[in-house]
Amino acid sequence: QVQLVESGGGLVQAGGSLRLACAASGRTFSFYAMGWFRQAPGEEREFVAGINRSGGSTYYVDSVKGRFTIARDNAKNTVYLQMNSLKPEDTAVYYCAAYFGAVLLTTTRAYNYWGQGTQVTVSS
């Protein structure tokens, strides 16, 4: 099992940047593929970015390509989401998720471990 704790959310003006971090417990972090999801009020939770367990493969939803970067440090049991050029439509609760496997997946049902979420609010 793995427990996930997100940090780094907050309030930022449009065009600004935030860096989210997700710290994982356990000694097998490198066996898990990781993803970042977000959920805005009244909306379904959506995939934002994912990274395979080695860190060699990443994938982004089209709306964040070129602005967000996902990375992981397996020595620190941490995955990051660097968010630049933020827009008001990026406002949401951001969740870190993990599943035990090698392949990068983009659906919520593929992930069986979730953090508690961190709020990101982008003002116009």
Coordinates of all heavy atoms in Angstrom, one line a residue, residues 12 19 21-23 41-43 55 59 65 69 84 89 92 110 112 114 117 121-122:
V12 N -3.2 32.1 -6.8 CA -2.2 32.8 -7.7 C -3.0 33.5 -8.8 O -4.1 33.2 -9.2 CB -1.3 31.7 -8.3 CG1 -2.0 30.7 -9.2 CG2 -0.1 32.4 -9.0
R19 N 4.0 25.0 -7.8 CA 4.5 23.7 -7.9 C 3.9 22.8 -6.9 O 4.0 23.1 -5.7 CB 6.0 23.8 -7.7 CG 6.8 22.4 -7.9 CD 8.1 22.5 -7.3 NE 9.0 21.4 -7.8 CZ 10.1 21.0 -7.1 NH1 10.4 21.5 -5.9 NH2 10.8 20.0 -7.6
A21 N 3.5 19.2 -5.0 CA 4.3 18.0 -4.6 C 3.4 17.0 -4.0 O 2.4 17.3 -3.3 CB 5.4 18.4 -3.6
C22 N 3.7 15.7 -4.2 CA 3.0 14.6 -3.6 C 4.0 13.6 -3.0 O 4.8 13.0 -3.7 CB 2.1 13.9 -4.7 SG 1.3 12.4 -4.2
A23 N 3.9 13.6 -1.7 CA 4.9 12.7 -1.0 C 4.2 11.3 -0.7 O 3.0 11.3 -0.2 CB 5.3 13.3 0.3
P41 N -15.5 22.5 -9.3 CA -16.9 22.4 -8.7 C -17.9 22.0 -9.8 O -17.9 22.7 -10.9 CB -17.2 23.8 -8.1 CG -15.8 24.3 -7.8 CD -14.9 23.8 -8.9
G42 N -18.7 21.0 -9.6 CA -19.7 20.6 -10.5 C -19.2 19.8 -11.7 O -20.0 19.5 -12.6
E43 N -17.9 19.5 -11.7 CA -17.3 18.8 -12.8 C -16.8 17.4 -12.4 O -16.6 17.2 -11.2 CB -16.2 19.6 -13.4 CG -16.5 21.0 -13.9 CD -17.4 21.0 -15.1 OE1 -17.3 20.0 -15.9 OE2 -18.1 21.9 -15.3
G55 N 9.9 7.2 -14.7 CA 10.0 8.6 -15.0 C 10.3 8.9 -16.5 O 10.4 10.1 -16.9
Y59 N 2.7 12.0 -20.0 CA 1.6 12.3 -20.8 C 0.8 13.4 -20.2 O 0.6 13.5 -19.0 CB 0.7 11.1 -21.1 CG -0.3 11.2 -22.1 CD1 0.0 11.2 -23.4 CD2 -1.7 11.5 -21.7 CE1 -1.0 11.4 -24.4 CE2 -2.7 11.6 -22.6 CZ -2.3 11.6 -24.0 OH -3.3 11.8 -24.9
K65 N -0.7 21.0 -22.0 CA 0.6 20.8 -22.7 C 1.3 22.1 -22.9 O 0.7 23.1 -23.3 CB 0.3 20.1 -24.0 CG 0.0 18.6 -23.9 CD -0.3 18.0 -25.3 CE -0.6 16.5 -25.1 NZ -0.9 15.9 -26.4
T69 N 4.4 20.5 -16.2 CA 5.4 19.5 -16.3 C 5.3 18.6 -15.0 O 5.4 19.0 -13.9 CB 6.8 20.1 -16.3 OG1 6.9 21.0 -17.4 CG2 7.9 19.0 -16.5
N84 N 2.9 26.3 -14.9 CA 3.2 27.7 -15.3 C 2.1 28.2 -16.2 O 1.2 27.5 -16.7 CB 4.5 27.6 -16.2 CG 5.7 27.1 -15.4 OD1 5.8 27.3 -14.1 ND2 6.6 26.5 -16.0
E89 N -9.2 28.9 -15.7 CA -9.8 27.6 -15.9 C -9.0 26.4 -15.3 O -9.5 25.3 -15.3 CB -10.1 27.3 -17.4 CG -8.9 27.6 -18.3 CD -8.9 29.0 -18.9 OE1 -9.2 29.9 -18.2 OE2 -8.6 29.0 -20.1
A92 N -9.1 24.4 -9.5 CA -9.7 23.0 -9.2 C -9.0 22.5 -7.9 O -8.0 23.1 -7.5 CB -9.5 22.1 -10.3
A110 N -8.3 3.5 -13.1 CA -7.1 2.7 -13.1 C -6.3 2.9 -11.9 O -5.4 2.1 -11.5 CB -6.2 3.1 -14.3
N112 N -5.7 3.3 -7.8 CA -6.4 2.8 -6.6 C -5.9 3.5 -5.3 O -6.4 3.2 -4.2 CB -6.3 1.3 -6.5 CG -4.9 0.8 -6.8 OD1 -4.0 1.5 -7.1 ND2 -4.8 -0.5 -6.6
W114 N -5.2 7.4 -3.7 CA -5.4 8.8 -3.9 C -5.0 9.6 -2.7 O -5.2 9.2 -1.5 CB -6.9 9.1 -4.2 CG -7.4 8.5 -5.5 CD1 -7.8 7.2 -5.7 CD2 -7.5 9.1 -6.8 NE1 -8.1 7.0 -7.0 CE2 -7.9 8.2 -7.7 CE3 -7.2 10.4 -7.2 CZ2 -8.1 8.5 -9.0 CZ3 -7.4 10.7 -8.5 CH2 -7.8 9.8 -9.4
G117 N -6.1 15.8 -1.8 CA -6.3 16.9 -2.7 C -5.7 18.2 -2.1 O -5.6 18.4 -0.9
T121 N -6.3 27.9 -6.9 CA -7.2 28.9 -7.4 C -6.5 29.9 -8.1 O -5.5 30.5 -7.7 CB -7.9 29.6 -6.2 OG1 -8.6 28.6 -5.4 CG2 -8.9 30.6 -6.7
V122 N -6.9 30.2 -9.4 CA -6.3 31.1 -10.3 C -7.2 32.3 -10.5 O -8.3 32.1 -11.0 CB -5.8 30.5 -11.6 CG1 -5.1 31.5 -12.4 CG2 -5.0 29.2 -11.3

